[in-house]
Structures are given as C-alpha cells and as structure tokens.
Amino acid sequence: MMNPEIYKQQFTADDTPGWQAIDDQLEKIYGNTEARHYPPLCGIHYAAGGTDPIDGASIYDSRHQTFHRHMISYGMSELYFNEEKAGGEFSKWGFEFTFRLAPFKDDENDPIWAINVMNNLARYVFSSGKWFEENHFIPANGPIRLNTETEITGFVFALDPELGKIDTPHGEVSFLQLVGITDAEVEDLKKSPTIGAVQELIEKLKKDNPLLITDLTRK
C-alpha cells in the first residue's frame, strides 16, 4: 500500500509518477509507437495561470478495429510529485478523458478541436467541482465539431475498451472515453436520462463498434 514514506523512497520532486502511470498503460497498447503530444493549447500550464485545465493531450494513430485517432488527456488526474496525495482512493478527479475519432474530411491534420472539447469539459469539472463517470450523458447543444454538418450532437461516457482503469501512486484513474451520439440518440436520452438508458445505448453501439469510435458521418 502506497503511503508518503514509501512514495518518497520511490520518487523525487523531479518525477511525474501519475504521468508515467498513464504512459505505462499506453505502452501496453501501443508499444514503442510515438504519440503526437500537444501541450496546453493556450501555451501556459493551468497551475501557472493558463486557461486550459488539461496539461496536454497525446494522439495516437490506431489501426485497431479500423483506422482512427485515439486521444488521451493528461491533467484530470494527479500527474506530478505530491507526497500528500500518495495512496489516495482516487487520483485527483479520478479519470482522464479519451476520445477515438474516425478520419473526417475537414480535418486535414490532427483534430485539435477534440482537445478543445476535452478542455471545455475539464473547465466545467474544475469550476463546478462535479466530475464525470461511466454512463454519464452530455448534450452538446449543437454539432460536437463546431460549424460542421454532422448529426453527432452529444456524448456518452464509457470506460475506454482498451485502457480501462489503472492504479497509480496517487490512486485510481479511469480512462473515460467520450463517445459521440446522434441527435436522435440525444433526444431519446433526454426523455430517459438514466444510467440504465445510457448503458443500453453503449451496449447497442458496441455491437458493431466495439472500440466505440466516433464517426462524424454516422446518421
């Protein structure tokens, strides 16, 4: 069991135990594949007065199931050396965002807009003190990719099918995957916004799409 004394024996102030725990889990899936990592989009870390709560996001090109981009946030969990947080039940908010996106014709390069979505959700968490869990549902009140002809206008949260949950030196971290849902699915969930209804939708989507890849062209 991790406690502050063991923690200080294993790590120094220069270490990033939480960040390393995320990287270790990603290595199990992607091996030595290099991710494209994006630091805070505003250029300044949140702790230093920046506006982006997420300290960065990595994007992998995945060929699992079908080609897609797999994005993972860093910053909703405790990333850096902090002996006071050693051995907690949950690491900070207890999760990191993930998102799997099929290639979209208007995204010539990496879909930075998706990292912005993560940051917007992170701002809500940091400002409200309310966090997300599996089987939560969020209407986006419009296309999830702004100014885009798409019927994907909301999200449900599922545990990332490959990354799951990990125990870190600061506590448990769930990889919560954002899964885009259509306007019709959003309206159905608004009528019955229960965990059971979200679970049922996720299981239905998994039948043809086990990795829950978001496709902006889905009707």
Side-chain angles (χ1 to χ4, degrees), residues 15-89:
D15 292 325
T16 55
W19 194 299
Q20 189 59 51
I22 295 170
D23 283 350
D24 289 346
Q25 185 71 349
L26 287 164
E27 189 178 346
K28 293 177 185 176
I29 307 299
Y30 292 110
N32 294 325
T33 301
E34 282 289 323
R36 297 181 296 284
H37 188 79
Y38 291 87
L41 301 177
C42 69
I44 305 171
H45 283 268
Y46 196 66
T51 56
D52 294 341
I54 291 171
D55 276 8
S58 284
I59 301 182
Y60 287 86
D61 290 334
S62 175
R63 287 170 174 76
H64 301 172
Q65 184 178 310
T66 185
F67 179 81
H68 63 280
R69 292 188 170 87
H70 189 194
M71 290 157 265
I72 301 93
S73 73
Y74 290 76
M76 303 307 294
S77 61
E78 196 74 45
L79 300 176
Y80 308 107
F81 180 88
N82 189 338
E83 62 188 84
E84 293 179 5
K85 302 295 185 182
E89 182 178 2

Side-chain angles (χ1 to χ4, degrees), residues 59-166:
I59 301 182
Y60 287 86
D61 290 334
S62 175
R63 287 170 174 76
H64 301 172
Q65 184 178 310
T66 185
F67 179 81
H68 63 280
R69 292 188 170 87
H70 189 194
M71 290 157 265
I72 301 93
S73 73
Y74 290 76
M76 303 307 294
S77 61
E78 196 74 45
L79 300 176
Y80 308 107
F81 180 88
N82 189 338
E83 62 188 84
E84 293 179 5
K85 302 295 185 182
E89 182 178 2
F90 297 102
S91 177
K92 197 151 76 175
W93 296 106
F95 68 90
E96 291 291 351
F97 294 114
T98 78
F99 188 36
R100 297 172 186 269
L101 184 69
F104 184 63
K105 60 182 176 58
D106 292 342
D107 288 331
E108 291 181 14
N109 300 304
D110 281 335
I112 301 302
W113 63 267
I115 300 175
N116 279 321
V117 169
M118 292 179 177
N119 269 307
N120 287 335
L121 294 172
R123 285 187 197 98
Y124 166 79
V125 173
F126 277 71
S127 63
S128 70
K130 298 176 182 177
W131 58 89
F132 297 113
E133 296 180 10
E134 291 175 67
N135 305 311
H136 280 186
F137 150 62
I138 302 177
N141 301 317
I144 64 168
R145 187 185 189 279
L146 296 178
N147 305 314
T148 299
E149 289 289 325
T150 177
E151 291 185 21
I152 305 299
T153 60
F155 293 105
V156 290
F157 284 100
L159 196 64
D160 188 296
E162 291 185 314
L163 296 175
K165 296 181 182 181
I166 58 173

Side-chain angles (χ1 to χ4, degrees), residues 194-212:
T194 64
I195 286 174
V198 176
Q199 279 179 323
E200 190 175 328
L201 174 58
I202 289 170
E203 290 308 310
K204 179 183 172 186
L205 293 172
K206 273 186 173 178
K207 286 179 183 175
D208 297 320
N209 181 11
L211 289 183
L212 296 169

